[in-house]
Each structure stands twice: as structure tokens, then as C-alpha cells.
Amino acid sequence: MAIDVIESGSFPFSETMKVRFRDTDSQGHLYFANYLVFADEITGFYMDELGFRATQPSKAPSFIFTVNIQCDYIDEITANGTVRGSVGYRRLGRSSADVAFLLQNHETDAVLARGTITQVFVDPDTRKSIAIPEPFRSNILERQGNWLVE
């Protein structure tokens, strides 16, 4: 999947998060791994809205393993800044899906990072991949069917 497609069109979900001092590194800007933490947390909020209960794993219909992350780091943000994270599903397979994310400085709209997260849906007992649970798949298609890339 080409990353440039991520910036075309509006994302189906966005949320803001405050950059805390503890999120920064010794240079005073958001630690590189925390860009991924922000993207993952915002994805979890979106999944909850779609009915998956990602932020409550004991109530979710399956586990989700992240098997690949691609991230382009564009700009920095310092403590006390606010990040707007936008996410959406770009691809749905049988048992896997790609989530695109865009992180921006909420005050200036400067792009901070963009990328994708590949998720595999997994049976909690067998730890083997399973089909993306219904009605989660249906909710994604209903909410953003025209945003998906095949």
C-alpha cells in the first residue's frame, strides 16, 4: 500500500492526545516509539466505536496481534503539545486488516508521522488466526466502505 494515499481524503475517525513530559526523550520531543503508541491507542478508540471493545480485551471477540508497522516520521512535537491522530481501515482481508494512521500537530496541522499497522485477528485459546469477527467487519464496511483500498 502506498503511503501517499493516506493523506488523500478525510479519515473516518480522529482523536486528540496530549504529549506529556514523560512521552518525550532527552532532546525534548516526542520519543519515536511513542508515535506508534499514540497511533495504536487511537486505533483502539476507533475499534471500540465500531463495537470491537479493543480497550477491554476480556470483552473483545478475539485477540489482535500487530504483525507489521510502517511509519514515516515527518516532524517533531514537544511536551504539552496536542497530537490529532486520524485512523481508518484501508484493507480488510479474511483474518487480517491494515489500519492507516496520520498524526498531526493539533495546533498547526503539521504532519508529524504517517503509516500503517497490520492486524491479525486471533483465537485467544489456539493463538491461530481466525476470520475478522462479525459484526466488526460489517461495522467497518458500513462506516467506511468507500475508504477501503483493495
Side-chain angles (χ1 to χ4, degrees):
M1 169 183 13
I3 287 299
D4 59 344
V5 61
I6 291 172
E7 290 188 74
S8 65
S10 60
F11 281 74
F13 183 84
S14 73
E15 183 71 48
T16 58
M17 297 179 70
K18 185 86 163 172
V19 177
R20 301 165 301 181
F21 177 76
R22 75 181 213 173
D23 297 328
T24 63
D25 61 17
S26 61
Q27 299 169 89
H29 58 239
L30 185 62
Y31 178 63
F32 79 95
N34 286 334
Y35 286 82
L36 303 177
V37 170
F38 280 34
D40 184 58
E41 286 186 16
I42 292 166
T43 298
F45 298 150
Y46 181 45
M47 294 177 73
D48 281 350
E49 188 173 286
L50 291 170
F52 188 81
R53 316 280 299 232
T55 59
Q56 298 175 20
S58 65
K59 296 181 180 179
S62 71
F63 283 169
I64 296 175
F65 291 170
T66 297
V67 298
N68 188 46
I69 297 175
Q70 188 286 321
C71 183
D72 292 330
Y73 297 93
I74 311 299
D75 204 349
E76 64 181 351
I77 190 165
T78 57
N80 298 316
T82 305
V83 172
R84 182 177 60 253
S86 302
V87 299
Y89 281 90
R90 294 302 288 166
R91 180 193 65 81
L92 292 179
R94 185 194 77 75
S95 62
S96 67
D98 292 332
V99 178
F101 66 87
L102 180 68
L103 301 178
Q104 294 175 275
N105 182 315
H106 186 62
E107 288 79 28
T108 68
D109 286 334
V111 174
L112 304 171
R114 62 179 177 236
T116 57
I117 300 169
T118 301
Q119 303 172 324
V120 174
F121 294 78
V122 175
D123 180 279
D125 296 322
T126 66
R127 301 284 221 239
K128 302 289 183 191
S129 65
I130 60 172
I132 297 171
E134 292 288 344
F136 185 59
R137 174 187 286 276
S138 297
N139 290 345
I140 293 169
L141 291 171
E142 182 180 318
R143 171 92 179 250
Q144 59 165 90
N146 62 342
W147 208 75
L148 292 166
V149 174
E150 292 300 324

